[in-house]
């Protein structure tokens, strides 16, 4: 099995919406994005699949060394198949060690804390685990305008907030609440209510109002991101627009289900994702 085969397996196993967007890329860009996304998955899995914080920290420390190996000319060869797939593609697309280390830093935040005091603190975390991912993706798509980076970061924040809203119940089962403490206080929602998922599953008018506030914030970020995308790069960034279309539809589905996310995972069917991807690719919206 080649390193690229390993990267593609990581993408296929994840069941991610990214799969439906990747289908529309030329082969070379699809290879690069698949390798980069596989890297994101293996780093993220360290936190999601390792219950011992000490073990998770050591694994992330190993990955820091692996990134340094990848960017040290004449140094030790990289060891992980995913890094062997990604390393030769980095110079071609302007992917730097700082990009890859940012994701590790974001995952380290997951080990060190399970609450965020306010939205700026949460936005810092989202920048590391999603904004930088958006920046690298934009480079792979063929960014030609420097202003596109701001669009990519804003879109990454919107996508991550949508993920957070979808996963409130799943995160609560792990003892995590990504919704800012200041927002919980504003709507008089106690962390214990979310963690218990009671009455039933923690739903209340207060919880619904809190979630509506978060959804409005996410919608505003999608609008801001699209307004930042330079017209000259719109065609090259169609795959990012596909992701925006899929995730914003997911956000609307969560709203339609009245934010019933504590006891279930709301999602879109594969066919619906493919339909959205095809529509956005050909119509640009």
């Amino acid at each position: 099995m080649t390193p690229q085969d390993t990267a593609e397996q990581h993408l296929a196993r994840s069941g991610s919406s990214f799969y439906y967007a990747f289908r529309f890329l030329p082969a070379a860009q699809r290879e690069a994005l698949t390798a980069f996304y596989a890297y994101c998955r293996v780093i993220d899995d360290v936190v999601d699949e390792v219950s011992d914080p000490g073990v998770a920290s050591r694994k992330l420390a190993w990955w820091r060394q692996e990134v340094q190996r990848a960017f040290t000319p004449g140094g030790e060869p990289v060891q992980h198949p995913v890094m062997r797939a990604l390393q030769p593609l980095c110079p071609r697309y302007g992917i730097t060690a700082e990009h890859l280390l940012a994701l590790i830093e974001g995952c380290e935040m997951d080990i060190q804390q399970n609450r965020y005091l306010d939205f700026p603190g949460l936005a810092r975390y989202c920048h590391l685990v999603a904004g930088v991912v958006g920046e690298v993706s934009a480079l792979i798509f063929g960014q030609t305008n420097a202003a596109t980076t701001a669009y990519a970061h804003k879109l990454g924040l919107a996508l991550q907030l949508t993920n957070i809203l979808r996963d409130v119940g799943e995160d609560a089962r792990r003892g995590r609440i990504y919704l800012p403490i200041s927002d919980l206080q504003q709507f008089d929602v106690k962390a214990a209510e979310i963690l218990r998922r009671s009455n039933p599953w923690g739903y209340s008018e207060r919880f619904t109002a809190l979630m509506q506030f978060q959804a409005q914030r996410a919608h505003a970020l999608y609008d801001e991101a699209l307004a930042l995308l330079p017209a000259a790069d719109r065609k090259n960034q169609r795959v990012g627009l596909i992701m925006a279309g899929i995730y914003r539809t997911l956000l609307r589905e969560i709203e339609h289900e009245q934010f019933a996310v504590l006891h279930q995972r709301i999602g879109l069917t594969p066919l619906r994702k493919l339909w959205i991807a095809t529509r956005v690719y050909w119509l640009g919206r």
Side-chain angles (χ1 to χ4, degrees):
M1 181 180 295
T2 68
Q4 187 63 26
D5 290 336
T6 302
E8 290 175 0
Q9 280 192 351
H10 278 282
L11 176 61
R13 283 200 304 266
S14 72
S16 169
S17 299
F18 282 86
Y19 170 78
Y20 300 91
F22 290 6
R23 292 167 62 95
F24 293 90
L25 284 170
Q29 291 172 307
R30 186 168 62 248
E31 177 185 3
L33 203 59
T34 298
F36 175 64
Y37 183 78
Y39 169 82
C40 296
R41 290 306 315 165
V42 296
I43 299 301
D44 192 55
D45 287 347
V46 171
V47 176
D48 289 344
E49 298 179 359
V50 179
S51 58
D52 186 322
V55 173
S57 293
R58 287 192 292 273
K59 284 181 174 289
L60 290 179
W62 183 90
W63 272 103
R64 281 185 176 276
Q65 294 175 345
E66 181 76 337
V67 170
Q68 295 298 343
R69 283 190 287 268
F71 288 87
T72 302
E76 297 180 20
V78 297
Q79 301 175 28
H80 199 281
V82 167
M83 187 58 79
R84 290 203 296 269
L86 180 59
Q87 181 186 28
L89 303 173
C90 289
R92 185 186 312 170
Y93 294 101
I95 303 172
T96 66
E98 287 72 22
H99 289 135
L100 304 186
L101 292 172
L103 187 65
I104 296 175
E105 182 182 347
C107 288
E108 286 174 334
M109 291 178 69
D110 271 330
I111 297 173
Q112 297 161 0
Q113 62 186 95
N114 53 22
R115 301 284 194 281
Y116 291 88
L117 179 61
D118 51 25
F119 182 68
L122 178 63
R124 168 61 182 166
Y125 166 77
C126 293
H127 163 75
L128 294 170
V129 301
V132 174
V133 174
E135 179 181 342
V136 172
S137 299
L139 291 171
I140 294 173
F141 296 153
Q143 174 179 341
T144 63
N145 191 315
T148 298
T149 300
Y151 144 82
H153 279 280
K154 190 75 71 173
L155 180 58
L157 178 56
L159 298 179
Q160 188 65 20
L161 284 183
T162 303
N163 277 337
I164 288 171
L165 296 184
R166 179 196 62 196
D167 295 339
V168 170
E170 184 176 318
D171 290 330
R173 283 191 288 274
R174 296 172 176 164
R176 296 185 172 279
I177 300 175
Y178 287 95
L179 304 176
I181 293 173
S182 60
D183 292 350
L184 268 65
Q185 293 173 337
Q186 178 181 342
F187 292 93
D188 193 28
V189 174
K190 305 298 188 290
E193 296 178 77
I194 296 176
L195 294 174
R196 287 197 306 265
R197 300 180 295 123
S198 56
N199 300 324
W201 302 300
Y203 298 124
S204 65
E205 290 183 0
R206 293 173 289 106
F207 177 78
T208 300
L210 168 68
M211 294 294 284
Q212 287 172 336
F213 177 78
Q214 305 300 326
Q216 290 168 2
R217 174 183 277 158
H219 278 302
L221 288 166
Y222 281 112
D223 290 339
E224 292 169 18
L226 296 177
L228 287 170
L229 178 59
D233 263 355
R234 189 172 183 86
K235 182 177 180 180
N236 287 345
Q237 300 299 320
R238 279 185 299 186
V239 173
L241 296 175
I242 288 173
M243 292 309 305
I246 291 174
Y247 271 76
R248 198 164 195 182
T249 301
L250 171 61
L251 178 60
R252 293 184 177 118
E253 188 69 16
I254 293 169
E255 292 174 303
H256 178 73
E257 294 292 326
Q258 299 181 329
F259 305 102
V261 294
L262 290 173
H263 72 289
Q264 64 180 343
R265 181 185 174 96
I266 297 172
L268 306 177
T269 65
L271 183 60
R272 193 172 180 189
K273 292 177 184 178
L274 183 59
W275 180 82
I276 294 168
T278 303
R279 183 196 67 194
V280 173
Y281 184 82
W282 290 110
L283 299 182
R285 56 183 173 82

